[in-house]
Amino acid sequence: MSDVEIEVEPVEETVEAEAEAVEAADEEEEFVAVGGATEVKLFGKWSFDDIEIRDISLVDYIAVKGDHATYLPHTAGRYQKKRFRKASCPIVERLACCLMRKGRNSGKKLMAVRIVQHTLEIIHLLTDQNPVQVVVDAIINSGPREDSTRVGGAGVVRRQAVDMSPFRRVNYALYLLATGAREASFRNLKTMAECLAEELVNAARGSSNSYAIKKKDEIERVSKSNR
């Protein structure tokens, strides 16, 4: 007989290790299923999956689907470095950026994000819809489709009606919505979030109570007379 010792692992330990591995795998599967970490929701609440952009010309310029779905409207992207790059900025973040206006609010993005969060909550209470859909509808309805420009020189200047590009329509809509909400909340007991929610809901319905809709109609009326 040789003196070689054969090491035999205890059977109990191997069985326990296998059981632990199976348990860990089950837990992982359960976490993915229950946690729903695969779906991106704005502020952990509002889904981007069922958002519909009803104007085909604005599909490329309202960033809400796929890669543009974010948990927070604060991506810290460098969207001003190149022309048209801001078209890929999430649309809710663009709305938040539009609120940082008039000097005293410059750079206060966390404040703007908080206002947008409260606004979405209020919109949900008012309409019982996905507030992101309401924001998208408001932007589609608020962008003027026609504008007038100055043509001529040497003292002879006249106005000429021109079509507005889809990108400028989105930019102008955001500007009008933010301006309307700011003016409504100035020297008023209503908070900025309440005024912005009211503005967005009215604009989404196409109501003339909305500042943005009123301005859009006025711009289109003026340009129609300058055709």
Side-chain angles (χ1 to χ4, degrees), residues 90-102:
I91 199 69
V92 182
E93 182 174 358
R94 291 197 65 191
L95 180 64
C97 291
C98 286
L99 300 178
M100 299 192 292
R101 289 282 309 280
K102 294 290 185 190

Side-chain angles (χ1 to χ4, degrees), residues 3-164:
D3 298 335
V4 178
E5 291 181 7
I6 299 169
E7 291 183 11
V8 179
E9 287 184 15
V11 177
E12 285 179 12
E13 281 182 22
T14 51
V15 170
E16 275 178 24
E18 279 176 20
E20 278 175 20
V22 169
E23 234 175 85
D26 287 347
E27 274 179 22
E28 202 172 314
E29 280 175 24
E30 199 177 314
F31 172 74
V32 171
V34 174
T38 49
E39 189 184 356
V40 178
K41 290 186 176 182
L42 186 64
F43 296 115
K45 271 190 167 188
W46 318 116
S47 172
F48 290 98
D49 291 345
D50 52 348
I51 302 301
E52 189 184 347
I53 300 171
R54 297 185 176 95
D55 190 330
I56 196 170
S57 64
L58 302 181
V59 170
D60 294 334
Y61 300 102
I62 297 180
V64 285
K65 293 275 187 179
D67 296 339
H68 307 300
T70 54
Y71 292 104
L72 282 175
H74 196 316
T75 58
R78 296 163 61 183
Y79 297 109
Q80 298 296 333
K81 285 286 171 189
K82 206 169 186 185
R83 194 180 180 198
F84 297 118
R85 188 172 286 172
K86 64 183 179 183
S88 62
C89 178
I91 199 69
V92 182
E93 182 174 358
R94 291 197 65 191
L95 180 64
C97 291
C98 286
L99 300 178
M100 299 192 292
R101 289 282 309 280
K102 294 290 185 190
R104 61 182 182 172
N105 298 320
S106 294
K108 298 182 183 177
K109 190 157 185 182
L110 292 180
M111 184 178 78
V113 168
R114 194 185 71 241
I115 289 170
V116 167
Q117 184 176 6
H118 292 169
T119 299
L120 297 181
E121 297 281 0
I122 294 167
I123 289 172
H124 180 65
L125 291 173
L126 289 174
T127 61
D128 207 32
Q129 295 177 20
N130 185 340
V132 180
Q133 182 66 61
V134 174
V135 170
V136 169
D137 291 345
I139 289 167
I140 289 169
N141 291 343
S142 304
R145 290 156 293 189
E146 198 177 20
D147 200 357
S148 47
T149 185
R150 288 160 60 92
V151 173
V156 183
V157 177
R158 67 187 185 86
R159 309 278 286 181
Q160 173 64 44
V162 289
D163 292 336
M164 204 179 261

